[in-house]
Amino acid sequence: MNLFELLRRDELESLIYWRDPKKSGPIFGGVLLILLSLKFFSLISVVAYVSLLGLAATISFRIYKNIVQAVQKTGDGHPFKDYLETDVALPQQKVEEVTKVAVTHLNATIVELRRLFLVEDLVDSIKFAVLLWCFTYLGAWFNGITLIILAWVALFSLPKVYETNKTQIDANLDIVRSKLAEITSKVKAAVPIGKKSEEKKE
């Protein structure tokens, strides 16, 4: 069994949608605890302490199982045998596929940033400027690790909220999309440069 086969898409969805709380809870809580630790301690300290706790747990369990086997005179073998035999090597084909996808997205991002910074479409560049301006306030309110914590909490909460209230959320999103499309069309109609850019594309 390969490590990549353990991380299938359906299993990831079952985690974030809390199909099995016994699996989702420990993963969500464990990662959240690590992220909160990183907020107050250095990365090296957190990695060292987490590794020490994990090593202490495995050593204690190994000694415990050895004592039990000696008392009961059983030959169960190494308690972590199944995990030691699990293939954790990265498949070259999978790595190449992931790399190709990453490079494709990176190239698309570079092209889009060039288009925005060199003002190919004035309206899109203005919207990008507004987004960057909002990010300056976001950066003033939160640091990087806080945003990661919020993103992790959102990953395990928003999909479930959306699944539970899908009809109402979709209706509200349609209203927001129509309003944004209406505002964008009005702005483009009022800005001659934006109209020229569209005519060139056609």
Side-chain angles (χ1 to χ4, degrees):
M1 185 172 16
N2 192 279
L3 182 62
F4 275 87
E5 295 175 0
L6 298 173
L7 302 175
R8 292 176 298 183
R9 183 176 177 180
D10 55 345
E11 292 185 359
L12 179 61
E13 289 181 356
S14 69
L15 285 175
I16 63 176
Y17 282 98
W18 294 82
R19 305 287 187 232
D20 186 357
K22 291 181 180 179
K23 290 183 179 179
S24 299
I27 292 176
F28 171 72
V31 175
L32 183 62
L33 181 61
I34 292 174
L35 291 174
L36 290 172
S37 300
L38 287 172
K39 185 173 176 62
F40 300 103
F41 304 101
S42 68
L43 176 63
I44 296 175
S45 297
V46 172
V47 171
Y49 280 118
V50 170
S51 300
L52 279 172
L53 286 173
L55 188 59
T58 53
I59 290 175
S60 300
F61 186 72
R62 174 72 193 276
I63 293 173
Y64 167 76
K65 292 296 290 186
N66 286 349
I67 294 173
V68 170
Q69 290 176 23
V71 172
Q72 297 180 352
K73 297 181 180 179
T74 58
D76 295 336
H78 200 290
F80 301 116
K81 182 181 178 181
D82 293 338
Y83 297 101
L84 290 171
E85 293 176 352
T86 301
D87 182 15
V88 294
L90 297 175
Q92 186 174 354
Q93 184 179 357
K94 283 287 185 181
V95 172
E96 290 176 356
E97 290 176 4
V98 172
T99 303
K100 287 180 181 178
V101 172
V103 170
T104 301
H105 285 292
L106 178 61
N107 289 335
T109 302
I110 292 172
V111 171
E112 182 65 16
L113 288 174
R114 181 186 64 181
R115 188 182 74 84
L116 292 170
F117 278 105
L118 298 182
V119 199
E120 181 179 337
D121 186 298
L122 180 61
V123 175
D124 287 345
S125 295
I126 290 173
K127 288 192 289 187
F128 182 57
V130 172
L131 179 64
L132 293 176
W133 179 71
C134 292
F135 279 159
T136 61
Y137 283 93
L138 193 64
W141 293 335
F142 308 106
N143 58 24
I145 190 63
T146 303
L147 291 175
I148 294 174
I149 292 172
L150 292 175
W152 181 252
V153 173
L155 179 64
F156 276 80
S157 57
L158 294 183
K160 189 63 178 178
V161 172
Y162 175 75
E163 184 183 47
T164 307
N165 306 281
K166 187 176 186 300
T167 304
Q168 294 175 331
I169 293 174
D170 285 344
N172 291 326
L173 285 176
D174 288 338
I175 295 173
V176 172
R177 287 195 197 100
S178 62
K179 291 292 183 183
L180 287 175
E182 183 182 345
I183 294 171
T184 302
S185 61
K186 288 181 179 179
V187 172
K188 285 189 175 182
V191 180
I193 298 177
K195 293 170 71 176
K196 289 180 181 178
S197 178
E198 284 188 355
E199 290 174 1
K200 286 182 181 179
K201 287 181 181 179
E202 291 175 357

